[in-house]
Amino acid sequence: MPVYFITSDQVQRGTATITGPLLHHVRTSLRTRIGDSLWVGDDRRRRHLIQVTQLDRHQLVGRVLEQHEGPIRRSPAVTIGQALLKSDRMDWVIQKATELGAASFVPLIGRHVVIRPKAARVATQQQRWQRIALEAAQQAERWEIPTVATPCEATAFFSQQPPADVNLILRERAPGQSLASIPLPNTPESTIVIATGPEGGWAREELGIALEHGFTPVTLGKLILRAETAALAALSILQSRVGELG
Ligand code: SAH
């Protein structure tokens, strides 16, 4: 059952209040009625089972029947640095990687990306991806919503101080350590970044800068995967190794 995200200030003294787009969704798509119950999760990793006591065009009010604290994180947070893909494929990566437990996304503008974002559209696009992550997190019963950063140049991403404790770059057709056996941290505070190239692959210069700044090239084997498949395969391997999948 989906768990809808609200903010912690929407729950006060045993009562939850829902307005805005979520209200619209529960009224029109879910056809929620007074007396129905639903799960909502807040930004403090608390989950509430509420029963609707009041519902109109302006707000939904629910009585909190049960409250649960989220489990303590036990594995490293994985960030996907994803070179921009054609719109629907980027949406797909964000949706599926959210289901697989990615902690955050950084869309990367690489030399070989097919579509460079128009400056005026960057903010709208970022909001759209954030919305996709929110919806997928609700569907997957995640305890938190992954964040989607504003797109940044791949070279800047690689060269500014290493974004995580373990910084990996997926490189095809070249020797590299296998993602299945590379040493990984296994503490909840640690962070892993995995960068996937665009459909045209990384430019030589981008790879050079990444390696120079401490990114480790990793391979997924001999098969040449499409970028979105590579990102999801890599995340699945990582999540399985840290005990989040499987
Ligand atoms: N057009 C390129 C392939 C790009 S694949 C070519 O024909 O050579 C897109 C991205 O997916 C790559 O930049 C890489 O990051 C990742 N990728 C695909 N297959 C991979 C593999 N076997 N190992 C590691 N990364 C891979």
Side-chain angles (χ1 to χ4, degrees), residues 82 85 169-174 195-202 218-231:
Q82 175 66 63
L85 306 172
I169 182 164
L170 283 170
R171 185 175 66 167
E172 76 286 5
R173 294 183 214 282
T196 315
E199 279 138 24
W202 295 114
V218 284
T219 174
L220 295 169
K222 290 199 169 53
L223 298 173
I224 304 303
L225 309 174
R226 292 193 73 147
E228 65 274 22
T229 318

Side-chain angles (χ1 to χ4, degrees), residues 70-226:
I72 295 162
R73 266 204 80 87
R74 262 180 300 210
S75 53
V78 182
T79 294
I80 310 260
Q82 175 66 63
L84 289 178
L85 306 172
K86 277 192 214 140
S87 159
D88 56 335
R89 292 180 191 273
M90 195 70 184
D91 293 359
W92 199 75
V93 168
I94 290 174
Q95 184 187 63
K96 299 300 166 203
T98 297
E99 290 172 34
L100 289 165
S104 57
F105 299 90
V106 184
L108 301 175
I109 306 167
R111 276 275 194 80
H112 296 163
V113 301
V114 189
I115 300 166
R116 289 184 80 86
K118 293 195 181 73
R121 288 211 52 230
V122 165
T124 336
Q125 230 173 13
Q126 186 270 343
Q127 284 162 13
R128 216 172 80 78
W129 290 325
Q130 187 63 71
R131 177 101 218 138
I132 291 171
L134 166 84
E135 284 168 9
Q138 292 183 156
Q139 202 58 46
E141 300 187 9
R142 296 254 329 237
W143 288 90
E144 62 290 290
I145 312 164
T147 54
V148 185
T150 308
C152 92
E153 292 289 334
T155 48
F157 180 72
F158 298 139
S159 61
Q160 279 149 17
Q161 37 183 325
D165 299 319
V166 175
N167 298 284
L168 307 172
I169 182 164
L170 283 170
R171 185 175 66 167
E172 76 286 5
R173 294 183 214 282
Q177 294 190 67
S178 160
L179 187 62
S181 56
I182 194 159
L184 291 179
N186 216 347
T187 52
E189 314 79 52
S190 48
T191 52
I192 301 173
V193 159
I194 182 131
T196 315
E199 279 138 24
W202 295 114
R204 188 188 290 270
E205 178 208 357
E206 291 167 341
L207 264 171
I209 291 178
L211 303 197
E212 200 182 303
H213 288 87
F215 276 74
T216 306
V218 284
T219 174
L220 295 169
K222 290 199 169 53
L223 298 173
I224 304 303
L225 309 174
R226 292 193 73 147

